[in-house]
Amino acid sequence: ATGIDWTFAPCLCVARNDRWGRTYESFGETPQIASSMTTIIDGFQGYRLGGPASILATAKHYIGDGGTTNGKDQGNTEITEQELRTIHLPPFRAAVQRGVGSVMVSYSSWNSVKMHANKYLLTDVLKNELRFDGIVISDYNGIDKIDDKTGFTPDEVDAGINAGIDMVMVPFAWKDFINVMRTEVRAGRIPMSRIDDANKRILTKKFELGLFEHPYTDRKYFATVGSGQHRDLARQAVRESQVLLKNDGVLPLDKSHDKIFVAGKNADDIGNQAGGWTVGWQGTSGPVTTGTTILQGIKDTVRPSSTVTYSKDGTGIDSSYKVAVAVIGELPYAEGKGDRPTDAALGLDQADLTTLANLKASGVPTVVVMVSGRPLDIAAQLPSWNAFVESWLP
């Protein structure tokens, strides 16, 4: 509808360590779940490229980005080839079998070899063994990261292209890249056969999408953007993703409760509820987009005669309230910023602990709703909660 005919999704990483800041981009910690969710490729591309609403899908990030040591973003996945093939390869095999049009290379390394320079995994395994016939695209400035120094070099260009990368994402210094690659091809360090293979793969997908015959956007779909049908489906997805993990009988809340106390930094913040990769890259707290906060949702649902009181830190509550709802958890983040490198960092922050302590001191039954991109360590606090809902990033 908007003219974008290629999406950098789905993310098929198998997240094995919740310290990783991209955990919420994955479908889960097992290869079976990620493999089953490759059905989204059919949604993007249709059962064949070139249909009326078909866009190119991208399986990413190939391969092992969810298995890095200590969950470090762009880190080193230190595992055997058998483990790599058992845990991290199956979702990509499933994606290729569904005809995914492109595969994006991971920033990460496998046993200290950068994926952007790994010919064995890009060419021998992905292209030859799995018979992937689409486009292998680098990640953002991915070739530049091969030697971990700023500015790509001829050696990095040679390594990346010869490893099997067909299209290179160079957001700024693209003219320099073209000149360097041309020089390397003319010098014979990148064989012309490699360039021909890349061009064939890229042009084939463009032809399959029909971009040469129909280069312009089909505006007839524009009315569907933000349509009621799509919003209803989004609401259904949010409802069905809420996970009830504890309940001593306090839930579901009675709409006729005359006094409900709501607390927590994530109760009235649409930016926090949305998380990263929303409007901006790392996400932002505050009214960054339209939507209904959890606090507003409670106010909209109770009877008109009910009183809903909100205090961000939980102060002001007394025993006259029937129930307290604490909406706690994480602030927005994306890759890099979201890494939590130590075990202690997977716990609740001080603001949440203070809020919970204030509510506990009142003696009012407490329901905790956690807004987060991953599971957090709440073992020490859970016994004092009457109910617990993991809300994820609703």
Side-chain angles (χ1 to χ4, degrees):
T2 61
I4 296 173
D5 44 41
W6 187 5
T7 182
F8 290 159
C11 189
L12 298 179
C13 54
V14 181
R16 306 293 287 182
N17 192 316
D18 293 332
R19 298 183 188 94
W20 188 36
R22 302 192 82 155
T23 294
Y24 69 84
E25 295 186 51
S26 76
F27 287 118
E29 63 184 15
T30 67
Q32 293 84 0
I33 294 175
S35 297
S36 71
M37 295 302 288
T38 58
T39 50
I40 196 172
I41 293 167
D42 299 337
F44 288 137
Q45 298 187 167
Y47 295 109
R48 64 172 180 82
L49 284 174
S54 181
I55 63 172
L56 198 74
T58 305
K60 67 180 191 181
H61 303 88
Y62 185 87
I63 180 177
D65 56 342
T68 60
T69 300
N70 294 324
K72 180 180 166 78
D73 191 52
Q74 303 183 25
N76 189 19
T77 302
E78 299 172 280
I79 57 177
T80 65
E81 182 169 349
Q82 180 181 359
E83 191 172 356
L84 188 77
R85 286 177 172 272
T86 301
I87 295 174
H88 299 282
L89 188 61
F92 290 95
R93 180 183 290 111
V96 172
Q97 291 171 346
R98 287 190 182 276
V100 71
S102 63
V103 170
M104 184 182 290
V105 184
S106 175
Y107 284 131
S108 60
S109 304
W110 176 46
N111 294 330
S112 301
V113 177
K114 293 276 189 176
M115 280 306 311
H116 278 75
N118 197 314
K119 184 176 182 180
Y120 171 66
L121 290 175
L122 295 183
T123 295
D124 296 349
V125 176
L126 179 60
K127 290 185 174 181
N128 296 338
E129 181 183 326
L130 300 188
R131 301 194 176 187
F132 173 64
D133 63 1
I135 303 165
V136 174
I137 182 169
S138 81
D139 206 333
Y140 185 97
N141 273 331
I143 281 184
D144 188 8
K145 294 176 179 285
I146 290 175
D147 65 3
D148 287 324
K149 297 176 182 177
T150 301
F152 60 82
T153 65
D155 286 345
E156 287 177 303
V157 174
D158 295 348
I161 301 300
N162 288 332
I165 295 173
D166 303 308
M167 187 181 288
V168 183
M169 204 188 310
V170 188
F172 304 113
W174 52 273
K175 289 184 179 179
D176 292 338
F177 173 83
I178 291 171
N179 291 331
V180 170
M181 191 175 73
R182 182 185 290 118
T183 298
E184 295 304 287
V185 171
R186 287 173 175 168
R189 288 183 284 271
I190 298 176
M192 200 64 207
S193 59
R194 181 72 272 282
I195 303 302
D196 291 342
D197 175 56
N199 280 326
K200 179 180 178 180
R201 290 167 177 271
I202 294 166
L203 289 171
T204 296
K205 294 306 169 189
K206 287 188 174 185
F207 276 114
E208 289 176 356
L209 279 168
L211 297 182
F212 291 102
E213 292 81 7
H214 305 287
Y216 300 115
T217 303
D218 188 342
R219 295 293 179 186
K220 72 183 180 186
Y221 292 105
F222 199 75
T224 69
V225 177
S227 65
Q229 181 184 9
H230 289 186
R231 292 179 185 274
D232 288 344
L233 184 62
R235 290 188 184 98
Q236 178 186 348
V238 172
R239 281 195 301 270
E240 295 187 12
S241 68
Q242 306 304 292
V243 184
L244 178 63
L245 293 170
K246 179 181 180 180
N247 184 19
D248 67 5
V250 68
L251 294 178
L253 296 182
D254 189 335
K255 291 183 181 180
S256 64
H257 278 331
D258 56 354
K259 292 187 74 176
I260 297 175
F261 196 91
V262 181
K265 67 177 185 287
N266 290 340
D268 194 31
D269 195 306
I270 199 72
N272 289 357
Q273 287 178 211
W277 289 113
T278 303
V279 183
W281 171 36
Q282 293 287 343
T284 309
S285 298
V288 296
T289 187
T290 57
T292 306
T293 68
I294 293 170
L295 173 64
Q296 189 60 49
I298 293 172
K299 289 181 175 179
D300 291 346
T301 304
V302 297
R303 293 181 179 175
S305 58
S306 298
T307 298
V308 177
T309 302
Y310 171 62
S311 167
K312 190 173 184 178
D313 63 0
T315 55
I317 190 172
D318 58 46
S319 60
S320 67
Y321 288 90
K322 296 291 180 64
V323 67
V325 180
V327 189
I328 61 173
E330 296 188 301
L331 296 174
Y333 59 83
E335 57 189 298
K337 179 183 174 183
D339 285 1
R340 291 181 174 221
T342 67
D343 284 336
L346 284 174
L348 300 175
D349 64 20
Q350 190 56 53
D352 287 343
L353 294 174
T354 299
T355 299
L356 293 169
N358 290 335
L359 298 180
K360 182 179 180 180
S362 73
V364 175
T366 299
V367 176
V368 172
V369 179
M370 192 159 78
V371 173
S372 67
R374 60 189 137 200
L376 297 179
D377 181 5
I378 45 84
Q381 293 80 37
L382 184 60
S384 64
W385 303 345
N386 298 88
F388 175 40
V389 176
E390 173 56 71
S391 188
W392 306 116
L393 296 172

